[in-house]
Amino acid sequence: MKAERASERYNYFRQGDILSILKERDEADYHISSVINMGSDVDNSIVSFQEISSQLESNDVFIDFFSVYANNSIEKVHQVQWLRESSSPFSIALSQRVLYNDFYLYASIVRNDWDVPAIVYIGKTSDLKFNEEQDIFDYLYVKEKTPEKVAELISNKSLSDFVWKRLISVGKITEGENIYFIPDNIFNDLPIEHLTLRSDITVSDLYDIVRLSSAQDIKAIHTNRYDANDKCIAFGDISYTTDFNPPTNLPEYCYCETMLDRKGLNRLSGTRKVLRTIKDNINNSVIYSGTEATEEEFYRLDGNSPEILFFGTHGYYFYLYELSEEEKEYLYGKHRTIAMTDERKEMYASGLYMAQSYTQNVTTDGMLTANEVSLQDLSNTK
């Protein structure tokens, strides 16, 4: 973890010696691989049907989405980059053709009194066409995600029928029951729990629905309860547009204003009510808001995390094909691009916006990456 953070400081701010940092990182990786039994970890990650059904109560439904490659692709054209010479006020839009794999989408449904899970075929991703010119790939990956487009997507009846109609029927799910689901494929990018079923009534209005990260989470749904003595740390009502002075030793070609400029991020004033509710109802709570909700405060939770952790902020995800070379350099450093997998790069290209800070002792750019979160020991958080 120490080596990871040292490499982060070098990638962002050119602090430290890259060769010694990489050597320390390699030694850490070797040590980890030598003491961890990967086979045992894989075995422990497997959850059987019997284990899942034993954790469910009569009003619980478990749904695990999965997909199978359909052996065809969908081609889309993206506006992927703007080039601008420093001496010119003009920009040039570049387009790029991107192929998206098509998939057959399925779901496995489990109830506590079933002898076997029910496997439901949902359809192909390419079947989700809203009109002659718009399909699910346009909505999720091609078109600009304006609030109007998101609202249009969520309220689309054909989409909610595509996802939920057969699942509710086969699973014999009635109003008020609990649905625990693990998303897959496009459902990772869709708020399927908030799709409109009928007359402005969403899935989450009719069912108590919870999105899980893995089947392991099902073991804790009825045992990992909260109590009055739990501690809560909450980040919200964050100030994104504080005066931020990045180090002067950033490369001249590091053109990343679009990432560092927070003028387009509105302060989420609605989270103030959430923070007040937390403070009024949880005695042992700590609130970080405004300019105090920084990455530094989050890092302090490493190995000492509270039972409840709340974030009320903007998230971000940069598609790798949309990033300029300078932005890639800023996110994960040119010295590691060859060895890094796309999955690892995406850990650097996604995360949460926090308040920025730059002092003599601590430098944070306000971009809490998924990779940085993964390095923290938050095992105490329920």
Side-chain angles (χ1 to χ4, degrees), residues 223-234:
T223 59
N224 209 2
R225 300 294 190 181
Y226 300 104
D227 59 54
N229 295 321
D230 286 343
K231 182 178 182 179
C232 174
I233 292 182

Side-chain angles (χ1 to χ4, degrees), residues 115-317:
D115 295 328
V116 294
I119 306 300
V120 179
Y121 172 62
I122 300 171
K124 292 174 67 176
T125 49
S126 58
D127 293 337
L128 268 173
K129 294 183 179 180
F130 304 113
N131 53 53
E132 291 293 329
E133 300 178 352
Q134 301 279 327
D135 60 20
I136 192 64
F137 299 102
D138 293 305
Y139 272 92
L140 289 180
Y141 310 121
V142 180
K143 305 299 182 182
E144 183 180 359
K145 290 184 178 65
T146 63
E148 293 76 19
K149 285 293 182 183
V150 174
E152 183 181 350
L153 182 68
I154 291 176
S155 62
N156 191 287
K157 184 67 165 52
S158 63
L159 176 59
S160 65
D161 285 347
F162 179 86
V163 178
W164 289 109
K165 190 171 184 179
R166 292 200 66 198
L167 298 180
I168 292 173
S169 175
V170 174
K172 298 180 172 54
I173 308 174
T174 59
E175 293 185 15
E177 288 195 310
N178 307 313
I179 300 176
Y180 302 96
F181 77 96
I182 303 173
D184 184 57
N185 207 283
I186 62 170
F187 300 141
N188 284 309
D189 301 323
L190 280 172
I192 60 175
E193 58 268 56
H194 301 300
L195 296 180
T196 302
L197 292 176
R198 62 177 186 270
S199 303
D200 295 329
I201 296 177
T202 67
V203 178
S204 57
D205 291 332
L206 297 181
Y207 310 98
D208 187 358
I209 186 165
V210 179
R211 178 182 291 242
L212 304 177
S213 299
S214 72
Q216 288 285 348
D217 295 341
I218 203 70
K219 296 180 178 180
I221 59 174
H222 294 302
T223 59
N224 209 2
R225 300 294 190 181
Y226 300 104
D227 59 54
N229 295 321
D230 286 343
K231 182 178 182 179
C232 174
I233 292 182
F235 297 85
D237 190 24
I238 298 173
S239 176
Y240 302 103
T241 56
T242 53
D243 293 333
F244 177 64
N245 300 308
T248 56
N249 60 338
L250 275 176
E252 292 181 2
Y253 55 82
C254 189
Y255 185 74
C256 301
E257 283 83 349
T258 55
M259 294 182 182
L260 296 176
D261 186 2
R262 306 305 169 88
K263 295 182 177 63
L265 291 178
N266 295 321
R267 188 163 179 168
L268 299 178
S269 56
T271 61
R272 297 174 192 168
K273 183 178 179 180
V274 179
L275 297 180
R276 285 197 297 269
T277 301
I278 291 173
K279 188 174 182 179
D280 293 341
N281 292 277
I282 303 177
N283 295 328
N284 191 10
S285 61
V286 179
I287 306 297
Y288 294 104
S289 62
T291 59
E292 296 179 349
T294 63
E295 291 175 84
E296 180 186 7
E297 296 299 339
F298 174 76
Y299 293 148
R300 295 183 194 277
L301 306 182
D302 185 18
N304 187 36
S305 64
E307 287 79 8
I308 306 170
L309 187 57
F310 171 82
F311 289 91
T313 184
H314 292 284
Y316 65 88
Y317 178 84

